[in-house]
Amino acid sequence: MTIRQFLVHADAGGSRLFAVDHGEVDRLDVVAEWGPGEVERADDVVRVLDLYLALRDGGGLEDGLRGLPDGVLRSIREFLRSRCAPEPGAFGPGGPVVPVRRARFRLEAATIEEYLSGAYAVGLGIRVENGVDERHGPHWDVVLLNRMPFVPAGGGARAWALPGGSRVESERVVGEAPGRQVPVALAVARRAVARNKRVRIHSYLQGDGEHWLDGAMTTSVVVDVFDEPAPA
């Protein structure tokens, strides 16, 4: 899922509801349109849909959309069914999780630790994966996220969907080293890379309940080691 939020354009002639698709290139997809009789509800519909994406409260969704024209309801429900399946790490406290910066480091670069530690310290999410190509050779691909993804209490250590067809050989959750999570995770990842393994590192917040509103949260970094070499 790359749909993280909805927008609406409303004027005297009616309303047009859009989904914001945060894919490789951001775009707006039309979800539904309705006439001037429901213009005053436009902002409420967006609020209800954004809240549904974050919390997956089906009852709240139906209550919030009640009274909209049948055709509009069908369009919204079909869009949610076909384009908005739940995805690990898609939301965090305050809203959707989206990339804000991408970078590439050589495997042996010492500066990556400072770069990631700084991002982690100010609450940005981090996603790191090793790769190899003819131009850059072995390297780290880094994506910084606008906020730390949230994982519910029963969600395991997973705020980044696994690549299709890959098998996790080992998983190390680094949550027991306050202030040292990133250096410890990098050390674990580098040992795996030395064994010619594909590796991913990502950070997340985990709460006491199903939503970030439910109680206290802790931050962790997880290292996934896959039973395969780095992707080319």
Side-chain angles (χ1 to χ4, degrees):
M1 181 190 79
T2 53
I3 306 298
R4 299 289 188 270
Q5 62 190 118
F6 290 86
L7 298 173
V8 69
H9 173 74
D11 57 28
S15 302
R16 176 176 284 189
L17 177 68
F18 298 91
V20 183
D21 189 336
H22 292 290
E24 290 297 322
V25 178
D26 290 354
R27 71 170 192 244
L28 296 178
D29 293 337
V30 178
V31 178
E33 300 180 55
W34 58 89
E38 301 291 339
V39 166
E40 69 276 5
R41 294 193 59 187
D43 289 339
D44 284 341
V45 169
V46 168
R47 179 186 58 78
V48 167
L49 291 173
D50 285 350
L51 197 61
Y52 172 74
L53 289 181
L55 303 182
R56 298 291 163 171
D57 179 1
L61 174 70
E62 293 302 319
D63 288 345
L65 299 182
R66 186 174 293 117
L68 287 175
D70 289 345
V72 174
L73 287 173
R74 284 195 298 270
S75 295
I76 291 175
R77 287 168 178 156
E78 173 59 22
F79 189 88
L80 293 176
R81 184 195 64 78
S82 62
R83 297 286 304 280
C84 300
E87 177 189 347
F91 288 84
V97 171
V98 295
V100 292
R101 182 167 295 181
R102 302 177 188 271
R104 177 167 284 179
F105 294 83
R106 299 189 317 276
L107 282 184
E108 66 275 13
T111 51
I112 188 173
E113 182 176 317
E114 181 180 359
Y115 184 83
L116 295 177
S117 293
Y120 186 78
V122 299
L124 300 182
I126 59 174
R127 289 179 178 171
V128 185
E129 183 171 20
N130 64 324
V132 60
D133 61 36
E134 292 183 0
R135 180 180 179 186
H136 298 96
H139 58 266
W140 297 111
D141 284 320
V142 176
V143 178
L144 300 185
L145 308 171
N146 63 330
R147 55 176 52 89
M148 203 84 75
F150 174 79
V151 176
R158 180 65 51 216
W160 190 4
L162 293 172
S166 296
R167 187 181 76 85
V168 176
E169 177 184 282
S170 65
E171 175 187 276
R172 168 74 183 275
V173 179
V174 185
E176 73 281 4
R180 294 281 301 163
Q181 285 97 333
V182 168
V184 171
L186 274 173
V188 172
R190 282 172 167 148
R191 288 195 294 270
V193 169
R195 296 189 291 114
N196 194 34
K197 297 294 184 179
R198 181 180 188 176
V199 179
R200 280 182 164 190
I201 304 169
H202 70 275
S203 62
Y204 63 92
L205 288 165
Q206 192 150 36
D208 294 336
E210 291 303 303
H211 308 305
W212 56 79
L213 303 174
D214 289 344
M217 294 181 288
T218 58
T219 61
S220 297
V221 180
V222 64
V223 183
D224 289 322
V225 178
F226 298 90
D227 189 21
E228 61 189 58

